[in-house]
Amino acid sequence: MEKGMLVLGLVAVMVVGVVVVVESSVEGEEVSYDGRSLIINGQRKLLFSASIHYPRSTPEMWGSLIGKAKEGGIDVIQTYVFWNLHEPEKGQYDFSGRADIVRFIKEIQAHGLYASLRIGPFIEAEWNYGGLPFWLHDVPGIVYRCDSEPFKVHMQNFTTKIVNMMKSENLYASQGGPIILSQIENEYEMVEHAFHEKGPPYVRWAAQMAVALQTGVPWMMCKQYDAPDPVINTCNGMKCGVSFPGPNSPNKPWLWTENWTTWYRAYGKEPETRSAQDIAFQVALFVARNGTFVNYYMYHGGTNFGRTTSAFTTTSYYDDAPLDEYGFIRLPKLGHLKQLHEAIKSCSNPILFGTQFTLSLGQQQMGYIYKRNSGECAAFLVNQDDTKSVTVIFHNSSYELGPSSVSILPDCKNVVFNTAKVNVKNNTRLITTGKKFNESEMWQEFKDIIPTFADTSMRSKTLLEHMNTTKDMSDYLWYTFSYQHESSNSKAVLSVRSAGHVLHAFVNGALIGSGNGNHEKVNFRLDNTITLNNGSNNISLLSVTVGLPDSGAFLERKALGLRRVRIHDIQNSKDLSNHRWGYQVGLLGEKLQIYLDHSSSNVQWRNFTSSNNPLTWYKIRFDALIKNESFGLNLGSMGKGEVWINGQSIGRYWASFLTSQGSPYQTWYHVPMSFLKPKDNLLVILEEQNGSPLGISLDIISTI
């Protein structure tokens, strides 16, 4: 290519000079923005951010996670705010332990990093009910996330509480704190059309409400192209380097709030991962196109402790992120991205203060050049062809670009980094068997009670919706009825249609079958041949949720649980959907909290038997292993249920649900060191199916 041709192909884009200043009434660092970047204390900033969610790890882990992110070249820690964690009951707040958001933000500040606070307060995030507290469901006249006064009142109350809490601790950058960005709402554009005329006014209201809180830092809306000024619209997804059309104003910077580092795992969804090369390619391309803020979602995924997962999501969250579930560095991902950050930061001055030029280098090849009047120059040479390498000519020199790669030239001459070339060695997770719990005399068990219609006090002549009945106080809802069978033929067929998620069917106290949906298809049907007594029969159907839905319009209208029940015998077929039903929320062991040490004696435990009955609680006491290790509880021998250690739930497990390759979606479950005592630890397991606790072990997790 001749020099004259190169000049003709250049297109120049000047740096936008309009600066949007966010008013602040207190002293601190002024945070503003223009069409090139965020501006902090008068300085344009090129920032790399890492999503680390405070409730998905423990306070004892926060410092280490943030420190490792900083070592990886991260400038900002980004987190959602979890409304249902902080306000589980209307007006009753919790900011303790893993919910201590102030402590988390101060930990970020102590490491010299900035913070990005995504208040939402709807967050999705594969978190139970998208972060909304279920008590909202019972607010009269409420419609979530639209121009609905009842919803807006509660959303504003919570948003204001969080903002005022941050202000009271001087945590906004305008006060000298680390918070430089806040987010209101979350990916609303994806559902806005469903609300018709109630959608756009809600967007305008949310933006105005947030800005009026006067945080002194900018607000953003992700996946909301019409975000009203001065709110910044941002990109979410894997390919924002290609797909983002840019902000809706030339005076706003290009921000990428979610660059997915892998995929979360969900039962029924085939496990996938994402390479370090692909992540780096999209980041480099986004920066080349004018991006100056990139957040990795997740940088550390962590653990969905307790019942915090959304529907069908595994307890382990984004384990393949740059920092794995246990907090270990995952290589080559973290190392490759660290080198990418260093290469891009070496181009900071031309990117932030230069003029951008674009140059066609081929059919699917492009050069992005940033040049200052001083002559300082940086270039990004891009090959978007994912099938072959290409040699391009740039500034009279040839450069080979691998498939789907970007070469970074901080001086427009020398390549210091190519996104497709990994120069970091892999590491591997090492699992060492620690303490085995394979001696039957160590275990005790309690078989939960299967209620009959006569045992219940809640009655209805229709099938009740699961979530509205349990109010998310339990995964479990018993549907019971008494069935009169008048025939010498004892055989019949029980047919149940369920809107999700799991069903265990009992006839006269005996389990006759189970069924379940999955992440891709929630609804399912159970048809089982049953044996009936001549006369009265007790039918007890246990409906089970595996987290509540976290996305979609009109979340308050979502329905789970049984939809139709029929019994077919030799004489007739009876639809029992409008029969007299008795209901019980939760299991007896839950109600008595037998997973807690002080209330474990509320039931009569017996010595372990090998019968492996369904709906059985198991408990064992043990001494801790070596200190300062990371532990995973191997539950490969179990079926489905929940686990507590010293009264703290490490989450749901479902080892019997297999991938198409025949492997459990998750076998090891994270046990934080802070959950353990040196002596006399109490492990309690609720097993729904017929798993055996004799195969459980507490293993040591490390990397090599």
Side-chain angles (χ1 to χ4, degrees):
M1 182 180 292
E2 295 181 3
K3 189 173 183 179
M5 293 174 62
L6 177 118
V7 173
L8 287 173
L10 289 174
V11 177
V13 179
M14 300 300 295
V15 174
V16 176
V18 177
V19 177
V20 177
V21 178
V22 181
E23 294 294 334
S24 173
S25 59
V26 292
E27 292 186 2
E29 292 189 316
E30 179 184 271
V31 183
S32 57
Y33 62 80
D34 63 11
R36 182 52 58 88
S37 74
L38 294 174
I39 300 171
I40 303 175
N41 212 25
Q43 297 293 315
R44 283 185 177 145
K45 293 289 185 178
L46 176 56
L47 300 169
F48 294 104
S49 174
S51 282
I52 300 174
H53 294 162
Y54 53 97
R56 283 173 159 148
S57 55
T58 64
E60 293 78 10
M61 296 173 65
W62 292 344
S64 174
L65 295 172
I66 294 166
K68 289 174 181 177
K70 184 176 181 178
E71 283 295 310
I74 293 299
D75 309 291
V76 183
I77 301 298
Q78 180 164 284
T79 185
Y80 278 122
V81 179
F82 299 77
W83 188 357
N84 55 12
L85 176 72
H86 296 302
E87 194 181 4
E89 300 291 336
K90 184 179 176 182
Q92 298 180 18
Y93 296 96
D94 182 6
F95 294 98
S96 63
R98 293 197 307 276
D100 191 347
I101 185 173
V102 168
R103 177 177 171 182
F104 181 72
I105 299 297
K106 288 183 176 180
E107 190 73 55
I108 296 170
Q109 185 176 28
H111 282 79
L113 300 181
Y114 297 119
S116 174
L117 196 64
R118 305 177 76 186
I119 297 176
F122 171 80
I123 60 172
E124 192 168 334
E126 294 74 57
W127 187 266
N128 194 52
Y129 216 44
L132 300 179
F134 197 81
W135 56 259
L136 283 174
H137 184 274
D138 295 330
V139 174
I142 197 166
V143 181
Y144 302 163
R145 304 178 67 205
C146 73
D147 194 21
S148 160
E149 285 304 317
F151 181 72
K152 291 193 297 183
V153 165
H154 291 291
M155 173 176 169
Q156 183 168 4
N157 287 346
F158 181 74
T159 303
T160 302
K161 183 173 185 66
I162 294 299
V163 167
N164 287 344
M165 180 181 291
M166 298 300 110
K167 285 182 178 180
S168 69
E169 298 288 340
N170 296 319
L171 292 177
Y172 283 103
S174 55
Q175 303 171 292
I179 302 172
I180 59 169
L181 271 175
S182 292
Q183 179 179 302
I184 196 71
E185 248 298 333
N186 191 67
E187 297 185 342
Y188 188 68
E189 191 173 87
M190 298 178 68
V191 298
E192 184 176 356
H193 65 281
F195 296 103
H196 303 293
E197 73 279 0
K198 294 285 189 178
Y202 169 69
V203 173
R204 294 190 294 270
W205 169 84
Q208 292 165 3
M209 180 270 291
V211 172
L213 293 172
Q214 298 184 351
T215 61
V217 304
W219 286 86
M220 57 186 175
M221 284 182 167
C222 63
K223 278 193 177 180
Q224 190 64 41
Y225 188 73
D226 63 351
D229 292 343
V231 177
I232 305 165
N233 63 297
T234 71
C235 189
N236 280 9
M238 286 176 49
K239 300 183 181 297
C240 289
V242 174
S243 63
F244 189 48
N248 60 19
S249 165
N251 301 327
K252 296 178 182 179
W254 290 45
L255 309 184
W256 188 354
T257 35
E258 288 190 17
N259 179 11
W260 305 330
T261 57
T262 183
W263 281 266
Y264 68 92
R265 288 199 171 192
Y267 299 108
K269 177 182 176 184
E270 282 304 297
E272 299 178 78
T273 188
R274 190 181 180 197
S275 70
Q277 297 94 313
D278 184 54
I279 300 170
F281 171 70
Q282 288 294 330
V283 171
L285 184 53
F286 185 75
V287 173
R289 292 182 60 219
N290 215 30
T292 51
F293 179 97
V294 176
N295 176 72
Y296 297 103
Y297 189 100
M298 299 291 296
Y299 201 80
H300 169 259
T303 306
N304 290 310
F305 297 108
R307 300 171 49 249
T308 59
T309 69
S310 64
F312 290 108
T313 304
T314 60
T315 294
S316 176
Y317 189 62
Y318 274 80
D319 184 40
D320 197 38
L323 296 176
D324 72 13
E325 180 180 8
Y326 299 85
F328 290 113
I329 291 172
R330 186 174 290 282
L331 298 177
K333 193 166 283 186
L334 186 144
H336 190 57
L337 295 179
K338 178 181 180 178
Q339 293 177 357
L340 169 71
H341 302 156
E342 292 169 348
I344 292 176
K345 286 293 183 77
S346 70
C347 307
S348 290
N349 284 337
I351 290 173
L352 294 173
F353 304 104
T355 302
Q356 183 201 61
F357 299 87
T358 58
L359 172 66
S360 175
L361 299 172
Q363 263 192 334
Q364 297 186 69
Q365 294 75 42
M366 181 71 71
Y368 295 86
I369 305 98
Y370 290 90
K371 193 169 184 179
R372 301 188 70 182
N373 291 335
S374 63
E376 199 173 0
C377 179
F380 295 77
L381 307 184
V382 180
N383 179 19
Q384 293 198 55
D385 190 329
D386 61 3
T387 64
K388 61 183 178 181
S389 296
V390 177
T391 299
V392 299
I393 304 299
F394 174 69
H395 282 191
N396 297 322
S397 296
S398 62
Y399 297 87
E400 184 175 351
L401 305 177
S404 295
S405 73
V406 179
S407 285
I408 300 175
L409 292 66
D411 57 0
C412 285
K413 294 179 183 178
N414 299 297
V415 177
V416 298
F417 184 84
N418 180 274
T419 59
K421 296 179 180 178
V422 177
N423 300 310
V424 179
K425 291 182 179 180
N426 289 16
N427 66 355
T428 304
R429 177 174 292 167
L430 178 65
I431 300 174
T432 306
T433 301
K435 183 180 289 290
K436 293 183 178 181
F437 302 119
N438 57 354
E439 297 178 19
S440 59
E441 59 269 21
M442 298 169 64
W443 288 96
Q444 290 184 296
E445 65 181 30
F446 167 70
K447 191 176 185 306
D448 212 289
I449 305 301
I450 299 167
T452 66
F453 178 81
D455 297 324
T456 62
S457 57
M458 185 189 307
R459 302 290 171 81
S460 175
K461 289 186 177 181
T462 186
L463 292 171
L464 299 181
E465 195 278 323
H466 185 124
M467 293 183 289
N468 192 40
T469 308
T470 64
K471 308 299 182 187
D472 195 32
M473 300 305 293
S474 171
D475 287 351
Y476 303 99
L477 177 62
W478 285 102
Y479 293 72
T480 70
F481 68 97
S482 180
Y483 182 73
Q484 197 70 20
H485 181 65
E486 305 291 348
S487 174
S488 58
N489 190 330
S490 62
K491 298 298 182 183
V493 174
L494 175 67
S495 179
V496 183
R497 291 182 181 178
S498 174
H501 296 151
V502 176
L503 171 66
H504 303 302
F506 296 82
V507 175
N508 296 320
L511 179 68
I512 60 90
S514 297
N516 62 269
N518 59 55
H519 184 270
E520 307 303 308
K521 187 180 179 183
V522 176
N523 298 349
F524 64 94
R525 179 170 174 165
L526 175 70
D527 293 290
N528 270 63
T529 300
I530 60 176
T531 300
L532 296 172
N533 298 328
N534 192 19
S536 181
N537 293 267
N538 292 309
I539 313 295
S540 305
L541 307 176
L542 182 60
S543 177
V544 188
T545 53
V546 189
L548 301 192
D550 70 334
S551 60
F554 302 109
L555 197 58
E556 71 281 354
R557 300 181 189 174
K558 301 276 186 178
L560 297 176
L562 307 191
R563 312 314 300 154
R564 189 174 183 182
V565 178
R566 300 179 69 94
I567 289 183
H568 313 271
D569 60 28
I570 195 169
Q571 293 179 333
N572 54 34
S573 176
K574 292 183 180 179
D575 187 342
L576 301 163
S577 303
N578 296 316
H579 197 69
R580 287 187 67 213
W581 289 86
Y583 294 89
Q584 177 182 299
V585 174
L587 306 179
L588 178 61
E590 282 185 297
K591 181 181 179 180
L592 299 177
Q593 297 184 313
I594 63 175
Y595 46 83
L596 299 177
D597 208 346
H598 67 268
S599 53
S600 178
S601 59
N602 287 340
V603 298
Q604 185 65 49
W605 295 85
R606 65 180 185 180
N607 292 333
F608 174 80
T609 63
S610 59
S611 56
N612 298 336
N613 290 313
L615 292 184
T616 300
W617 298 77
Y618 299 99
K619 75 171 183 176
I620 192 171
R621 293 188 178 275
F622 67 96
D623 294 337
L625 300 170
I626 308 167
K627 289 185 177 180
N628 301 319
E629 294 282 3
S630 293
F631 299 108
L633 193 66
N634 183 342
L635 296 175
S637 65
M638 303 303 289
K640 180 185 179 300
E642 189 173 352
V643 187
W644 293 261
I645 290 185
N646 295 323
Q648 299 197 68
S649 173
I650 64 173
R652 300 183 184 95
Y653 67 89
W654 201 351
S656 62
F657 200 123
L658 306 180
T659 69
S660 62
Q661 303 301 309
S663 302
Y665 279 82
Q666 185 178 350
T667 299
W668 282 269
Y669 291 76
H670 181 208
V671 180
M673 267 298 301
S674 59
F675 283 21
L676 296 172
K677 303 182 296 184
K679 301 282 186 181
D680 197 32
N681 293 279
L682 175 64
L683 168 63
V684 177
I685 299 175
L686 166 60
E687 169 62 23
E688 295 175 25
Q689 300 176 335
N690 58 357
S692 170
L694 298 184
I696 295 174
S697 60
L698 184 64
D699 297 337
I700 299 169
I701 312 296
S702 59
T703 57
I704 54 173

